[in-house]
Structure formats: structure tokens, C-alpha cells
Amino acid sequence: METLIFATNNTNKIKEIGSLLDDSFIIKTLQEVGITIEIHEPHDTLEENAIEKAKVIHDLTRENCFAEDTGLAVWALNGEPGVKSARYAGDKRSSEDNIDTLLSKLSDKNDRSASFKTIICLIFNQKQILFEGICKGTIIADRRGKNGFGYDSIFIPDGAGKTFAEMSLTEKNTFSHRKKAFEKLISYLTVQD
């Protein structure tokens, strides 16, 4: 049974990843391994931020671990909020303020196409590997649904008739960018056994 540390304090992400696992993997959270530091995301790309977070935790624990960074790119806004998705409205990291900022900037735009992208950095047996997952969709003008987190209440994935926030976790996982990246990580680890 493989044990990995997930380099995040985000309980929503922990819940999503946990819903994808079978019994052959044990994921430990930072809290479970006694790490309480805030890991900074100082870089301009999702890839660099995922690598930074994984390296920090690996350097502290010397254990196999992974980290992820996710961003929402809106075409009409030249890819914003992108790598700054969690802090789009400022450093206090308010999802509601982020959504308000995004909807305000999109108010006069006709093209509302967007995509979520997740990059996972795995450090496994001293080797660093990146995995990517993308979910294309559309930004709607009003919030719908109470599930999920972040921008989920205004994002409808292509092929769906409702927002991520209107879906159960099982439904969301049929489209999820995070699931697509994590499945690649699991496939890689399965081959390593």
C-alpha cells in the first residue's frame, strides 16, 4: 500500500482527491504529518507553483508526496485569473470576492468560454513528475448551486447542463480537471508497483 503526503491545507481539495482513491493508496494530509506552515505560491505558472509546494514538503519530510495548483483561464480576459485564481480579488482569498471580480470584468464580454487546469507535481522515489488535467467550459452570469468551492458556482463544464456547484462530487468527477490529473498520477504509480 502506497503512502503519499498531499501538500495542501485545502480541505475541499483533500475531499475531492479522497473520493478518487481505492484501498491501494493512503493519502496523508499536512495536518496528519504535523506540518502547519503556509506554503507560498510565488511563481507565474501553475507548474512552478506545484513544483514549489511539492519540494517544500519533500524537503521537510523526505517522504513521497504530491502538490497541485489549479487555475481558471477565461479567454476573453487573456487567461485571467489564471495562476492568481485563489487571490484574484486580493490576498484574503475570498471565493465570493473572486467571483464578483471575475463577473464584473466579464460583464461586457460575449465570449465566456473558460477552462480549469490542474497541474500535479509528484515527487516519488526522488523523481519529480508532472501531470495535467483540463476541463473546458463556460462562465455563467449568476451563481448557481451550493456544492463545491472556488469558482464552481459559475462554471458549467462542456457537455453538462449545470454548474460544478450544482453537482454531487461523483457528478463533478466525471468532468473534473483535478480528477483527470490525479488519474494520470495513479496510473503512473500503478505501473511503478
Side-chain angles (χ1 to χ4, degrees):
M1 194 174 299
E2 202 61 64
T3 299
L4 298 169
I5 299 170
F6 185 9
T8 188
N9 289 307
N10 185 317
T11 55
N12 291 302
K13 291 180 179 182
I14 292 165
K15 183 177 173 185
E16 276 193 14
I17 294 296
S19 73
L20 302 172
L21 290 173
D22 61 26
D23 292 340
S24 49
F25 297 94
I26 297 172
I27 301 295
K28 290 190 175 178
T29 65
L30 292 182
Q31 185 177 11
E32 287 174 320
V33 295
I35 297 174
T36 58
I37 62 169
E38 175 81 16
I39 306 171
H40 297 290
E41 301 173 345
H43 302 290
D44 294 327
T45 68
L46 299 173
E47 290 82 359
E48 289 173 301
N49 282 336
I51 291 166
E52 175 86 13
K53 291 186 277 189
K55 281 185 173 178
V56 166
I57 297 310
H58 185 261
D59 288 347
L60 286 171
T61 66
R62 308 315 296 172
E63 300 286 335
N64 293 328
C65 66
F66 69 96
E68 66 88 57
D69 202 21
T70 296
L72 174 68
V74 180
W75 308 136
L77 301 178
N78 298 313
E80 287 185 15
V83 74
K84 306 248 186 265
S85 291
R87 295 177 176 85
Y88 197 40
D91 283 338
K92 70 176 183 173
R93 301 176 87 164
S94 162
S95 292
E96 292 305 308
D97 291 348
N98 290 338
I99 289 172
D100 288 342
T101 300
L102 180 62
L103 292 179
S104 174
K105 288 189 176 191
L106 274 177
S107 62
D108 63 343
K109 309 287 186 199
N110 292 323
D111 181 5
R112 300 178 79 87
S113 56
S115 67
F116 273 113
K117 180 163 109 172
T118 291
I119 299 292
I120 293 176
C121 176
L122 171 69
I123 299 178
F124 186 78
N125 294 341
Q126 312 306 316
K127 186 176 178 184
Q128 176 184 298
I129 310 101
L130 295 178
F131 306 96
E132 176 185 86
I134 294 174
C135 176
K136 295 180 179 178
T138 304
I139 302 296
I140 59 172
D142 298 298
R143 293 167 174 82
R144 288 187 354 212
K146 300 292 183 191
N147 298 326
F149 62 101
Y151 298 91
D152 285 359
S153 64
I154 58 168
F155 183 85
I156 296 179
D158 287 351
K162 51 188 175 180
T163 68
F164 273 157
E166 293 176 293
M167 297 179 183
S168 68
L169 193 49
T170 301
E171 288 176 296
K172 181 179 179 181
N173 280 338
T174 63
F175 301 97
S176 170
H177 44 289
R178 194 167 288 108
K179 180 190 178 196
K180 290 172 185 175
F182 193 67
E183 281 181 332
K184 292 174 184 176
L185 180 153
I186 296 296
S187 294
Y188 173 84
L189 290 177
T190 302
V191 172
Q192 304 309 302
D193 285 350

